[in-house]
Every structure is written in C-alpha cells, then in structure tokens.
Amino acid sequence: MATFRLQGSRVLAVDMTGDSVKAKNGSMVAYDGRMAFKKMTGGGEGIRGMVTRRLTGEEMTVMEVKGQGTCWFADRASEISVVNLRGDKLFVESSNLLCTDAGLRTGTSFTGVRGTSQGNGLFTTTVEGHGQAAIMSEGPAVALRVGRDHPLTVDPGAYIAHQGNVRQSFQSGVTFRTFMGEGGGEAFQIRFEGDGLVYVQPSERNTIAGDV
C-alpha cells in the first residue's frame, strides 16, 4: 500500500513500491523512480466519484499513477490533510479531493452540500475502505468532533468533508453572516448528528443561493 506523507502543509508525497494511487489530473508536481501514468475519464469501476457530471457541467478527471519511487502532488497551493480510513466512508466535496489509495472504493452520493444549498443537488464524492486519502482546503483544515450528545452546525461555505457514523440535514433560515447582519437572501446551515468527524476550512467558498 502506498504511503502518504506531508512535506510542509501544501505538498503531498506518496511513496510507492509497485503500488498505485488515483490523483486529481494535473496535480503531480514532481516524481522520482519509475512511474507510469494513465489519464482516466468517464465511467469505470473505482472512479465513479470523479466522472463527468453531465447534468451539472461539473467535470472531474483523475490520473492513475503506478510504480516505484515517490510522487509529489499539490494543487494551487491549497493546504492538504491526510485522512486515514479503516473501513469507514469519507464524504468529500469533489473539488476538495486530491489523492486516494487505488484500493479505496470511490462513488457518488446525491447529497452535495453546495448543490443542496443552491437547489441544484450536486454530487458529493464518497471514498470507502482501508487506506489513505488526501483532501484540500483554503487555509488549514480543522477536524471537529460530532458526539452523540453534541451535534454540530456548519456553514456550507466552510464544509469540506465528513466521516464516521454521521447524519447530515439542511436547515434554511439564517447563516452566521446573515445572523450578524452582514448579508441577506435565502440561507442554509448544515447540521451533523451522530459520531464522527467534520472537516471545515477557515475560508468560505463562494456560493450561489444567497449568503450560504
């Protein structure tokens, strides 16, 4: 199995000994050793979470990297966090997923946070199995614990991913910015309940449906 390690906070190094990983197309910045690269698009088992979103116009392509040596990945100087999966499932916004072990199963879930807040219902990528995945954020990501008696409410613009036995629901009405009188329009929050982790970033992405 490939080994993920961070070099600094914005570069992911992946050590491989005949293993393979799937990474965001164009994210490799350097490699040593002997590597083979294959661009993957469209359908295909194991990459369903990153296929072309025909209904929304959102296109994600990935590349498979296999060989012996080390590859370094980065994307637009984003901060990178490594998530360890032990048979559980990670839900992550597709634009925030950088790299996964090839052995992890990827798919889609029709519960995209940005899509729901915009009324479009975009897909969220799921990653499941045993291995490592690297996610990206604007600024250092923070993993917040959701406990059985401690639900968590998150602004959709700050949400990146979540894992564990966590249920999410969407609440309309007001966000943190509209509550402080800094905006208007239809707004949403995401409420998480159960037992797991929610990853948030300190920079809110732009959204469409009001101040969300």
Side-chain angles (χ1 to χ4, degrees):
M1 184 177 295
T3 301
F4 288 31
R5 55 188 174 86
L6 294 177
Q7 290 200 217
S9 61
R10 300 182 181 184
V11 177
L12 173 72
V14 180
D15 301 316
M16 287 178 277
T17 56
D19 321 278
S20 62
V21 297
K22 294 185 176 71
K24 184 175 182 179
N25 195 48
S27 63
M28 189 195 67
V29 295
Y31 74 92
D32 64 20
R34 300 180 63 180
M35 298 288 170
F37 306 92
K38 180 169 65 174
K39 184 177 180 180
M40 310 179 77
T41 58
E45 184 63 29
I47 59 168
R48 288 172 296 174
M50 300 180 187
V51 301
T52 301
R53 281 24 168 193
R54 297 186 183 277
L55 294 179
T56 63
E58 178 186 3
E59 183 175 353
M60 293 293 293
T61 54
V62 297
M63 59 180 177
E64 183 182 61
V65 184
K66 182 177 183 179
Q68 299 203 18
T70 301
C71 273
W72 288 268
F73 300 95
D75 187 56
R76 301 180 185 180
S78 298
E79 298 281 337
I80 301 170
S81 301
V82 175
V83 178
N84 294 304
L85 295 175
R86 299 177 177 87
D88 52 333
K89 182 182 292 186
L90 174 73
F91 293 79
V92 56
E93 293 295 276
S94 58
S95 61
N96 293 102
L97 184 60
L98 176 65
C99 186
T100 68
D101 277 321
L104 291 172
R105 300 182 300 278
T106 57
T108 55
S109 176
F110 196 70
T111 56
V113 169
R114 284 176 295 164
T116 302
S117 64
Q118 296 166 7
N120 297 328
L122 295 182
F123 293 97
T124 289
T125 297
T126 60
V127 184
E128 186 176 10
H130 291 82
Q132 293 179 297
I135 60 177
M136 300 180 293
S137 58
E138 293 185 36
V142 177
L144 302 176
R145 168 66 62 180
V146 178
R148 297 188 184 279
D149 298 320
H150 298 87
L152 180 71
T153 301
V154 175
D155 190 301
Y159 169 85
I160 301 172
H162 71 272
Q163 69 181 123
N165 185 20
V166 175
R167 304 178 305 279
Q168 66 178 33
S169 59
F170 300 91
Q171 301 174 335
S172 62
V174 66
T175 63
F176 305 117
R177 279 184 287 172
T178 55
F179 180 76
M180 297 300 293
E182 297 178 0
E186 187 177 10
F188 293 82
Q189 294 174 340
I190 318 149
R191 180 181 173 89
F192 293 93
E193 299 175 275
D195 184 15
L197 295 173
V198 177
Y199 298 86
V200 297
Q201 63 183 7
S203 175
E204 292 181 313
R205 63 172 66 86
N206 292 326
T207 53
I208 295 175
D211 283 339
V212 295

